Amino acid sequence: MASIVKRGKSYRAQVSLYKHGEHKKVSKTFPTKKEANLWALEMELAKGEGKELAHRTTTFADFFENWIYVVKIKDVKETTFQNYTRALGVIRTLFQDIQLKDLNDIVVQGKIDKYAETHSRKTTHEVLLKIRTALRDAYARGYISNDFSGLLKTRGENPPKRNKALSITAFKKLRNHALQHPEEEFNLLVLLGLETGMRRGELLGIRPEHLYEYGIQVRYSISPTSDDTSLKTPNAKRDVSINKEVYELLRKVPVKDNGYIFNFGGFKQSELLAELLKELDIEKTTFHGLRDTHASFLFAQDIDIAYVSKRLGHVNIQTTQNYYLELMPEKKHQQDADALNLLSSL
């Protein structure tokens, strides 16, 4: 049975546990007797339902670490697991010594909101998803009394998109420069990014045996944080066609000692691209922005969206629509004119 003891101006509630031949106790102090009784009742009910109350004094950070190294390490790819280990650092900073027994939606939401003050909404959401999954696991194992993970929300603002699609004019200018200066290996990498929409890791993962007339078999992806060369998703395994001119230039690139066609270059492709775009007086984007540019250009030319989605290696068309298809300025002006002409003809 639970006991309530008055200690000065506060009340200490204590619940006795018996498990595996050992007696243990969990306790908590409250400002009022009513709160102490309510907590004691909740603990007794949870104990009766078989909840593992002895684990409630474990810190959330320690639980999360144990959870990812025992459970998640077997469920996800190595590159994905690296994201969990980075999230562990965030959770240790945010939650510090807060124990499982002290967690509720108000406490956790406060920590998430604090993180959102200095991070984008997308980054915050990725951390929240991992916290939610860990909390559900803790509840399933009886370490917390209720599952409040569904009450947690992502807040904050998203900064302007960095992976911005280039205009058609800028696209042509950059492509022509790369074609005219193929002796610079990086220019050819940029050309392939524009020509294929392949991810950076997929481009770096091209080996001679992946070339066919005229196209590239996407089979590997090189990561700056892992030795895992597997592709992002099963749909990422695909064959991407290229024109003859680009194919012939690619065949001339000397194969490196590691068997790949391109140097990894310290994974500084976005920095190198920024320098190139500045030199050519082209609006700034990231290397991943070349993928957006490729997709948006095809979209602007009325290429079927199902083809674009398959070419990019997306799981479904919705992903393509949500993240990669933008109206390039020239296309938007054309659409505006067409819309006005239709209205004028009424």
Side-chain angles (χ1 to χ4, degrees):
M1 292 292 294
S3 64
I4 309 295
V5 179
K6 186 174 182 180
R7 305 185 66 179
K9 295 183 179 180
S10 61
Y11 293 83
R12 183 184 182 190
Q14 192 173 77
V15 177
S16 298
L17 307 175
Y18 181 81
K19 190 172 182 65
H20 302 312
E22 294 183 13
H23 287 279
K24 294 184 178 181
K25 295 180 180 181
V26 291
S27 61
K28 191 172 182 179
T29 301
F30 298 90
T32 66
K33 189 174 182 179
K34 182 180 179 180
E35 290 175 292
N37 278 320
L38 180 59
W39 179 83
L41 177 60
E42 290 176 347
M43 293 303 99
E44 289 291 348
L45 290 172
K47 184 171 67 172
E49 294 172 357
K51 299 297 182 183
E52 298 283 357
L53 300 185
H55 290 278
R56 290 168 59 80
T57 55
T58 302
T59 67
F60 179 54
D62 285 345
F63 167 77
F64 188 87
E65 180 173 14
N66 183 67
W67 174 67
I68 66 172
Y69 280 100
V70 174
V71 178
K72 297 310 293 182
I73 195 171
K74 300 175 182 178
D75 295 340
V76 298
K77 291 170 45 180
E78 183 182 343
T79 49
T80 303
F81 183 72
Q82 294 299 323
N83 292 332
Y84 278 92
T85 60
R86 284 192 286 272
L88 172 60
V90 173
I91 287 169
R92 285 210 175 278
T93 300
L94 289 176
F95 290 86
Q96 298 183 14
D97 295 328
I98 296 178
Q99 298 174 349
L100 289 173
K101 67 183 178 66
D102 296 321
L103 292 181
N104 56 49
D105 59 301
I106 304 300
V107 171
V108 179
Q109 188 68 64
K111 298 301 181 183
I112 293 169
D113 290 347
K114 181 180 179 181
Y115 184 73
E117 291 175 1
T118 54
H119 295 81
S120 71
R121 186 181 182 89
K122 180 181 178 182
T123 301
T124 302
H125 187 64
E126 290 173 353
V127 172
L128 173 57
L129 290 178
K130 294 174 176 60
I131 290 175
R132 277 179 180 163
T133 308
L135 289 172
R136 292 190 186 111
D137 188 277
Y139 172 70
R141 296 175 190 278
Y143 299 170
I144 56 178
S145 300
N146 59 79
D147 179 10
F148 54 83
S149 60
L151 299 175
L152 303 174
K153 300 176 182 179
T154 303
R155 297 194 176 103
E157 301 294 330
N158 271 327
K161 185 178 179 182
R162 293 173 62 245
N163 304 327
K164 190 176 181 181
L166 298 175
S167 67
I168 294 177
T169 303
F171 169 75
K172 291 179 178 178
K173 186 176 184 180
L174 182 58
R175 184 176 183 276
N176 288 335
H177 174 83
L179 282 171
Q180 293 166 11
H181 300 88
E183 68 281 359
E184 292 288 337
E185 187 176 297
F186 180 70
N187 287 343
L188 188 53
L189 193 68
V190 169
L191 179 62
L192 279 179
L194 292 171
E195 195 83 5
T196 66
M198 289 169 61
R199 301 174 178 91
R200 178 186 67 170
E202 294 171 345
L203 292 169
L204 296 178
I206 300 174
R207 300 171 70 93
E209 59 267 29
H210 298 151
L211 302 181
Y212 66 91
E213 195 173 324
Y214 297 102
I216 302 169
Q217 296 175 332
V218 183
R219 298 296 182 267
Y220 296 143
S221 182
I222 305 300
S223 168
T225 60
S226 169
D227 293 331
D228 182 7
T229 60
S230 60
L231 297 172
K232 186 175 182 180
T233 66
N235 294 71
K237 182 180 178 181
R238 62 200 188 280
D239 294 350
V240 182
S241 59
I242 55 178
N243 66 53
K244 182 178 179 181
E245 183 179 15
V246 175
Y247 171 76
E248 295 298 342
L249 289 173
L250 185 57
R251 287 185 61 197
K252 295 177 182 178
V253 180
V255 179
K256 309 304 178 289
D257 292 340
N258 59 10
Y260 294 99
I261 290 180
F262 291 105
N263 279 314
F264 299 165
F267 299 95
K268 295 182 179 180
Q269 286 77 22
S270 278
E271 295 174 27
L272 294 173
L273 179 63
E275 295 175 5
L276 178 59
L277 295 178
K278 185 176 181 180
E279 176 188 331
L280 298 177
D281 194 25
I282 294 176
E283 58 211 76
K284 188 176 181 180
T285 190
T286 64
F287 197 88
H288 196 83
L290 302 181
R291 178 171 166 85
D292 293 61
T293 301
H294 176 80
S296 296
F297 178 74
L298 295 183
F299 178 58
Q301 305 305 313
D302 298 322
I303 300 296
D304 187 87
I305 189 172
Y307 172 81
V308 177
S309 183
K310 186 175 181 180
R311 187 172 175 87
L312 294 176
H314 285 159
V315 174
N316 53 53
I317 292 176
Q318 193 63 48
T319 301
T320 313
Q321 290 176 318
N322 289 346
Y323 298 104
Y324 290 90
L325 300 184
E326 299 179 24
L327 274 178
M328 291 177 158
E330 296 89 341
K331 184 69 173 181
K332 183 179 184 302
H333 294 155
Q334 178 190 326
Q335 295 283 328
D336 285 341
D338 290 345
L340 292 173
N341 287 335
L342 285 172
L343 291 169
S344 298
S345 65
L346 293 176

